[in-house]
Amino acid sequence: MDVSVELAPRNQKGLRLQNPLMLASGTCGYVTELEGVTDIHSPGAFVCKGTTLKPGKGNPQPRIAEVTSGMLNAIGLENIGIDSLISNQAPTWNRLGVCVIVNIAGSNTEEYVEIARRLEGTEGISGIELNISCPNVKSGGVEFGLDPETAATITREVKCVTTLPLIVKLSPGAASVSDIATAVTKAGADALTLINTFKGMAIDINRRRPLLGNTTGGLSGPILKPVALAMVYETARLVDVPLIACGGISSAEDAIEFIMAGASAVQVGTAFLVDPCIPGNILTGIKAFLSEQEVSSINKLIGCAVTNSK
Ligand SMILES: Cc1cc2nc3c(=O)[nH]c(=O)nc-3n(C[C@H](O)[C@H](O)[C@H](O)COP(=O)(O)O)c2cc1C
């Protein structure tokens, strides 16, 4: 049975994953922290924490809150900075033989371009995920992902300095996710990730003030799944690049729904924080489903619900 997927067919290097299971940015650190916690050779790929030009401290505490059917996070972009990632993390990824995609974020187009330029030629890195959808930072972040022209400009400029597969991660907060998806695809994105977190908040009723230090945070977990599913399905009808689904995936059934809606791969975030065995269980469940249904390749399922509804 073939569960391998190609996420960047238009890119010279390509991005072939041994399976469609990925760990979402911000929920798997820089991978090395996971050794001994989970089998790091099981997922098809990891997307590391959003990385900026200079190291970042992130937002004030509290930064996490549980809400009904999900969680809020306002970590912000606490990260080691691109130079440390290149010198300290990439060689380890290369030695371990894990597929890592670097999630990058900047305060302006020039910063995104500079980060991508520095990554060029670095061994151990399989692709770039352009984070134009982080709701938890003061400058940059999600504002770049709300306007089709701005999103396309960053994509185009980054594409000019990189030969790595370029994935653009979209925000559910855009007035029209379809417009952003179309614009960044035309600008050269090799694949799209849908979706990042949705802006939300919680109030501490005893202290009579916002619970999170940053006031608002990003909503993730099961509550996000139907929203993400509709966005993947609608985008699959519009663009011809591979889609990577993200948002509330915690079971094989969830993953299969997204694959049928047009996703070539799925990212698991919040569910991995709850149980590090979940990605492995999802992969086992996907394989069992393919076997039960006598489907020889996962590629035969990608987008079948889109085709069947036409
Ligand atoms: C604690 C935490 C940190 C996150 N950090 C990032 C980040 O640095 N960059 C990014 O693009 N997305 C980040 N995300 C968003 C996730 O990658 C993912 O898009 C989102 O959580 C939805 O998926 P889920 O419902 O499976 O968690 C973060 C999410 C969480 C929960």
Side-chain angles (χ1 to χ4, degrees), residues 112-200:
Y112 280 96
V113 169
E114 183 54 29
I115 297 169
R117 199 194 305 275
R118 292 191 195 180
L119 285 172
E120 186 63 7
T122 305
E123 297 216 350
I125 291 164
S126 301
I128 293 175
E129 186 177 70
L130 209 58
N131 180 358
I132 50 167
S133 45
C134 181
N136 301 321
V137 284
K138 282 203 175 65
S139 64
V142 74
E143 77 205 35
F144 294 129
L146 302 182
D147 172 54
E149 241 173 76
T150 314
T153 303
I154 298 183
T155 307
R156 198 175 303 110
E157 302 271 318
V158 169
K159 189 74 185 167
C160 285
V161 299
T162 188
T163 55
L164 285 167
L166 182 62
I167 303 164
V168 180
K169 185 167 181 182
L170 305 186
S171 167
S176 165
V177 175
S178 305
D179 287 353
I180 310 282
T182 311
V184 299
T185 304
K186 280 196 190 137
D190 291 301
L192 308 177
T193 300
L194 298 100
I195 52 179
N196 209 317
T197 53
F198 207 96
K199 186 173 171 181

Side-chain angles (χ1 to χ4, degrees), residues 74-270:
I75 307 291
L77 291 170
E78 179 178 351
N79 75 96
I80 60 175
I82 199 64
D83 291 337
S84 170
L85 180 145
I86 290 168
S87 338
N88 302 318
Q89 304 297 329
T92 311
W93 298 334
N94 200 27
R95 181 173 49 77
L96 291 170
V98 287
C99 177
V100 181
I101 290 152
V102 179
N103 182 283
I104 69 169
S107 316
N108 52 48
T109 308
E110 292 70 32
E111 280 187 18
Y112 280 96
V113 169
E114 183 54 29
I115 297 169
R117 199 194 305 275
R118 292 191 195 180
L119 285 172
E120 186 63 7
T122 305
E123 297 216 350
I125 291 164
S126 301
I128 293 175
E129 186 177 70
L130 209 58
N131 180 358
I132 50 167
S133 45
C134 181
N136 301 321
V137 284
K138 282 203 175 65
S139 64
V142 74
E143 77 205 35
F144 294 129
L146 302 182
D147 172 54
E149 241 173 76
T150 314
T153 303
I154 298 183
T155 307
R156 198 175 303 110
E157 302 271 318
V158 169
K159 189 74 185 167
C160 285
V161 299
T162 188
T163 55
L164 285 167
L166 182 62
I167 303 164
V168 180
K169 185 167 181 182
L170 305 186
S171 167
S176 165
V177 175
S178 305
D179 287 353
I180 310 282
T182 311
V184 299
T185 304
K186 280 196 190 137
D190 291 301
L192 308 177
T193 300
L194 298 100
I195 52 179
N196 209 317
T197 53
F198 207 96
K199 186 173 171 181
M201 77 178 290
I203 305 278
D204 180 336
I205 57 169
N206 293 315
R207 295 170 66 223
R208 303 182 186 187
R209 52 184 292 179
L211 197 152
L212 294 171
N214 187 52
T215 307
T216 59
L219 180 65
S220 63
I223 197 164
L224 216 54
K225 192 195 121 187
V227 177
L229 192 60
M231 289 181 176
V232 168
Y233 179 86
E234 280 160 14
T235 306
R237 297 163 75 109
L238 284 178
V239 301
D240 58 357
V241 295
L243 304 182
I244 303 167
C246 183
I249 298 168
S250 62
S251 67
E253 289 74 19
D254 291 342
I256 292 163
E257 277 191 74
F258 276 103
I259 290 165
M260 291 184 171
S264 297
V266 295
Q267 293 184 3
V268 178
T270 302

